[in-house]
Amino acid sequence: MGIDLKEVRVVGDEERAIIDALNALRHRFTYVFTTGGIGPTHGDITADCVAKAFGVTIDSDPRALAILHEWVKTTGAEMNEARLRLTRIPKGGDLILNKVSGAPGFWIGNVIVMAGVPSIMQAMLDEVGPKLKIGVPLLSETARADAREGDIGMQLGEVAKANPAVAIGSSPFFNPQQQECGARARDAEKLA
């Protein structure tokens, strides 16, 4: 999508840690993507922490409630207190639709809050993707070298120095006699 990944953090279910991480990152980066912690259990505290980080209230959102009621009706599931937690959205948050399991994520400011289940998170990311300010996608190529890293390290350094618009690296393959060399760039000609 052309959005550079600058930092990844794993933050446990601790209110202060989540709020501190959100406040540090949302002021430094264009977008902060969170995954997990918005489910129906007592340990899912991300939505509450996002509300606290933004200094807003959190409550059941009528839009989310309507979506969940429809999902419950369609699936035959029971509406209960745990499922109602899925409708809690910080004030001012926009919903991120969830075509997999119904319960929406949300987007507030530059923070995009999605489910942790990979298939649900992917569906939510597909939903927000067209709304993001994107850049030129990063292109990549890989090649296998029948050489050890120490045998080609200097040459790769020279190639990288001669091509500053291309990120070049290598890592050992399963066989220590082989390296996987990679190149990444936004310009196809420079990558080639």
Side-chain angles (χ1 to χ4, degrees):
M1 298 178 94
I3 299 172
D4 290 337
L5 177 62
K6 296 292 187 180
E7 187 172 332
V8 175
R9 290 190 187 189
V10 177
V11 182
D13 289 330
E14 297 176 32
E15 182 178 289
R16 179 78 310 186
I18 295 170
I19 293 168
D20 289 349
L22 283 169
N23 284 330
L25 297 172
R26 70 187 179 100
H27 295 296
R28 288 178 44 212
F29 299 112
T30 305
Y31 297 112
V32 176
F33 299 91
T34 76
T35 59
I38 59 171
T41 68
H42 71 283
D44 292 315
I45 62 171
T46 300
D48 294 284
C49 293
V50 172
K52 287 179 181 179
F54 278 87
V56 298
T57 59
I58 184 169
D59 205 347
S60 180
D61 183 290
R63 302 165 300 170
L65 190 58
I67 290 168
L68 196 60
H69 273 300
E70 187 61 35
W71 181 81
V72 165
K73 187 175 17 169
T74 304
T75 63
E78 174 190 337
M79 183 61 85
N80 58 29
E81 191 175 331
R83 288 195 176 94
L84 284 173
R85 283 182 52 83
L86 298 169
T87 68
R88 297 174 70 248
I89 307 294
K91 185 174 175 90
D94 292 318
L95 299 185
I96 300 171
L97 298 181
N98 168 4
K99 295 176 183 173
V100 176
S101 65
F106 60 90
W107 181 345
I108 183 169
N110 63 338
V111 177
I112 297 163
V113 182
M114 300 174 287
V117 177
S119 61
I120 300 172
M121 177 267 176
Q122 181 64 58
M124 289 180 174
L125 190 57
D126 291 344
E127 185 71 29
V128 299
K131 301 170 188 169
L132 300 173
K133 296 176 193 165
I134 60 173
V136 178
L138 192 61
L139 307 171
S140 67
E141 292 287 338
T142 58
R144 190 176 300 170
D146 289 323
R148 295 176 184 202
E149 194 169 31
D151 296 335
I152 61 172
M154 297 304 290
Q155 293 89 336
L156 282 177
E158 291 171 15
V159 172
K161 190 175 184 178
N163 297 278
V166 180
I168 297 174
S170 71
S171 58
F173 204 64
F174 295 109
N175 176 345
Q177 301 288 337
Q178 294 180 327
Q179 295 300 303
E180 186 169 275
C181 300
R184 294 187 314 262
R186 288 197 157 75
D187 182 304
E189 280 185 40
K190 290 179 180 174
L191 179 62

